[in-house]
Amino acid sequence: MTAPADGPGAPGGALVIAATPIGNTADASPRLVRALEEADLVAAEDTRRLHRLCQALGVTPRGRVVSCYEHNEEARAAEVVEAVTAGLTVLLVSDAGMPAVSDPGYRLVRACVEHDLRVTVLPGPSAVLSALALSGLPTDRFTFEGFPRRKAGERARALAALRDEQRTMVFFESPHRTAGTLAAMAQVFGDDRPAALCRELTKTYEEVRRGPLGVLAAGVAQDEVRGEVCLVVAGRPPRALGEDEVAAAVEEVVQRSRSGERLKDAAAAVAVDTGLGKKLLYDRAIAADARRRP
């Protein structure tokens, strides 16, 4: 078969990145069903799980099914490039959710991009966005941090680097490490930092626990956590600055603008550093600069 006509780019071969259900197979879209059935080659993180999904969906892949996991992805990329170059459609799927997001797939995508081959996406379920939406925490700006480090010392250092992150943070975690990770987060971010523990999303026993990190950590320490886990943590709230600090921030905006930087850009940059409002800094910088002019 040739590449699907409803995607971007010229007709011919393509790598199609396809999201699969994260728990409930009813979330599979008609496009995914068709793609599984019609692709010339299916690269799957775990071929056994793919066959179980296809069985649940009543689909029989026509194309060849090959594995694509962490330890063979580099070698598999060359085969995928060759197939797409030959005009074939390669479907990339992981065990759940979007490939290349804490799952294999990045190297395949990168290889096709480097060879100027067509890459398109078949969107669908996402554990990251599902947990973010369910958390009740701010969603306008967020960062996905993947799995925290396994070793306690490395994990503590990585979390410390995020201490001043103001965006909502989303993490994946395994159930048997959740208690330790929540305790480490409470120590680094503070017991009172708002957070949510989301597990078994879209499955029968879906659960979302919301509350301060300290409370969540204490609860998990007593109750065994099971299933796939997403942790969502609020970013650091803007610091309350004194009038002297606000004046210093305004002065920095003025100096940056006099050095050639656009005033709006300077205000935006200082706003990120200080947590102050961009409009506040912009308006005060204009006023301060006007007072100094003859």
Side-chain angles (χ1 to χ4, degrees):
M1 65 171 285
T2 57
D6 55 352
L15 173 65
V16 182
I17 310 166
T20 54
I22 60 177
N24 191 329
T25 55
D27 292 334
S29 70
R31 285 187 64 199
L32 175 62
V33 172
R34 188 184 73 177
L36 286 168
E37 186 177 46
E38 297 181 354
D40 300 300
L41 179 67
V42 181
E45 181 179 3
D46 186 327
T47 57
R48 293 168 299 182
R49 293 190 64 167
L50 173 68
H51 285 305
R52 288 198 294 270
L53 173 64
C54 289
Q55 185 176 21
L57 297 176
V59 176
T60 300
R62 297 177 186 175
R64 188 163 60 96
V65 175
V66 298
S67 63
C68 179
Y69 53 93
E70 181 181 359
H71 300 295
N72 78 341
E73 186 180 353
E74 195 75 52
R76 190 67 74 192
E79 180 181 354
V80 169
V81 166
E82 183 178 353
V84 176
T85 301
L88 302 181
T89 296
V90 178
L91 185 68
L92 171 63
V93 295
S94 60
D95 290 345
M98 182 63 71
V101 181
S102 277
D103 278 332
Y106 166 76
R107 292 181 179 86
L108 267 64
V109 174
R110 188 71 247 165
C112 288
V113 169
E114 289 175 349
H115 285 79
D116 199 25
L117 297 173
R118 182 168 174 247
V119 180
T120 186
V121 66
L122 198 164
S126 165
V128 176
L129 296 181
S130 297
L132 180 67
L134 282 169
S135 70
L137 298 172
T139 59
D140 53 338
R141 297 175 67 239
F142 71 94
T143 172
F144 173 58
E145 298 296 332
F147 283 90
R149 301 296 181 89
R150 296 191 178 194
K151 295 183 178 180
E154 294 178 356
R155 179 180 59 198
R157 286 190 290 271
L159 292 175
L162 296 170
R163 183 181 286 113
D164 291 329
E165 174 60 65
Q166 295 187 25
R167 295 170 293 182
T168 300
M169 297 170 282
V170 184
F171 301 83
F172 285 163
E173 189 53 289
S174 63
H176 66 277
R177 290 199 298 269
T178 298
T181 295
L182 280 172
M185 287 178 170
Q187 184 174 10
V188 173
F189 300 141
D191 286 341
D192 58 347
R193 182 77 70 91
L197 187 161
C198 309
R199 71 175 192 88
E200 294 292 86
L201 294 177
T202 77
K203 301 178 184 178
T204 302
Y205 298 105
E206 175 181 291
E207 179 187 22
V208 180
R209 305 184 192 180
R210 304 176 183 88
L213 278 171
V215 173
L216 292 179
V220 170
Q222 297 177 1
D223 301 328
E224 181 182 4
V225 176
R226 297 182 180 182
E228 303 293 329
V229 174
C230 287
L231 299 174
V232 188
V233 183
R236 177 185 65 78
R239 291 170 295 185
L241 301 181
E243 191 58 37
D244 289 344
E245 292 174 297
V246 173
V250 171
E251 179 64 20
E252 182 179 351
V253 174
V254 172
Q255 293 304 320
R256 285 191 180 203
S257 67
R258 289 185 172 181
S259 299
E261 189 172 354
R262 290 181 58 207
L263 184 60
K264 287 186 177 180
D265 294 337
V270 175
V272 171
D273 293 338
T274 62
L276 291 168
K278 179 172 64 175
K279 187 176 186 306
L280 169 70
L281 290 170
Y282 180 79
D283 291 343
R284 289 202 182 188
I286 289 179
D289 196 40
R291 286 195 300 269
R292 295 181 183 182
R293 296 183 182 278

